[in-house]
């Protein structure tokens, strides 16, 4: 593969720290990128993601879908337009309280609905 088949990316976390930069194949999917981000997540950070669904990658104001390859995203977004330039993608974590709320709703007994209609 030539240099044009690789793209150099770094990932900016919410606190301003970076993971990377590293070179990635344009055939790599966003889901694979998320797995690499989770593996490289700084050990001293709290709330490290465990699953790829907890991570959102944002580039050019767009959330990248898991099944999209970098080459597909490149045709839609300005990823690595200039040779030798490192593209920064932003990493956003889904807050853990969403999962807790979902579990709580599943464990709570169903509420009885009461409906009252009044015709005047």
């Amino acid at each position: 593969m030539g240099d044009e088949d690789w793209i150099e990316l770094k990932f900016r976390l919410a606190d301003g720290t970076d993971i990377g930069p590293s070179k990635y194949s344009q055939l790599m999917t966003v889901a694979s990128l998320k797995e690499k981000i989770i593996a490289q997540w700084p050990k001293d950070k709290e709330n490290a993601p465990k699953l790829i669904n907890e991570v959102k990658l944002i580039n050019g104001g767009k959330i990248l879908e898991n099944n999209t390859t970098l080459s597909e995203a490149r045709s839609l977004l300005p990823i690595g337009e200039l040779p030798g330039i490192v593209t920064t993608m932003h990493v956003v974590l889904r807050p853990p309280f969403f999962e807790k709320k979902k579990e709580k709703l599943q464990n709570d007994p169903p509420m009885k609905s009461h409906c009252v209609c009044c015709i005047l």
Side-chain angles (χ1 to χ4, degrees):
M1 282 195 246
D3 262 356
E4 66 275 357
D5 296 333
W6 295 87
I7 183 167
E8 194 165 7
L9 300 174
K10 71 177 176 181
F11 304 99
R12 175 83 29 101
L13 306 180
D15 65 357
T17 58
D18 292 335
I19 296 174
S22 295
K23 288 190 177 188
Y24 299 96
S25 168
Q26 290 191 43
L27 300 176
M28 180 176 273
T29 63
V30 171
S32 298
L33 277 178
K34 289 179 179 182
E35 288 172 357
K36 292 204 177 274
I37 290 169
I38 292 170
Q40 296 176 14
W41 196 266
K43 304 298 180 214
D44 60 337
K45 303 280 182 216
E46 292 183 17
N47 301 327
K50 293 173 183 57
L51 304 170
I52 63 170
N53 290 334
E54 296 174 2
V55 177
K56 300 287 182 204
L57 280 182
I58 300 174
N59 186 55
K62 304 281 184 188
I63 296 175
L64 302 179
E65 298 295 326
N66 286 344
N67 58 350
T68 305
T69 64
L70 286 176
S71 66
E72 292 169 342
R74 189 176 202 176
S75 66
L76 301 173
L77 301 170
I79 297 177
E81 292 294 325
L82 301 172
I85 300 293
V86 177
T87 300
T88 301
M89 291 188 179
H90 294 270
V91 179
V92 178
L93 296 182
R94 190 164 84 179
F97 63 84
F98 283 132
E99 293 301 319
K100 290 178 184 174
K101 276 186 177 181
K102 189 175 179 182
E103 287 174 12
K104 185 177 179 185
L105 290 175
Q106 290 175 350
N107 295 336
D108 287 346
M111 296 180 63
K112 294 181 182 178
S113 67
H114 297 335
C115 184
V116 177
C117 294
C118 181
I119 300 173
L120 299 175

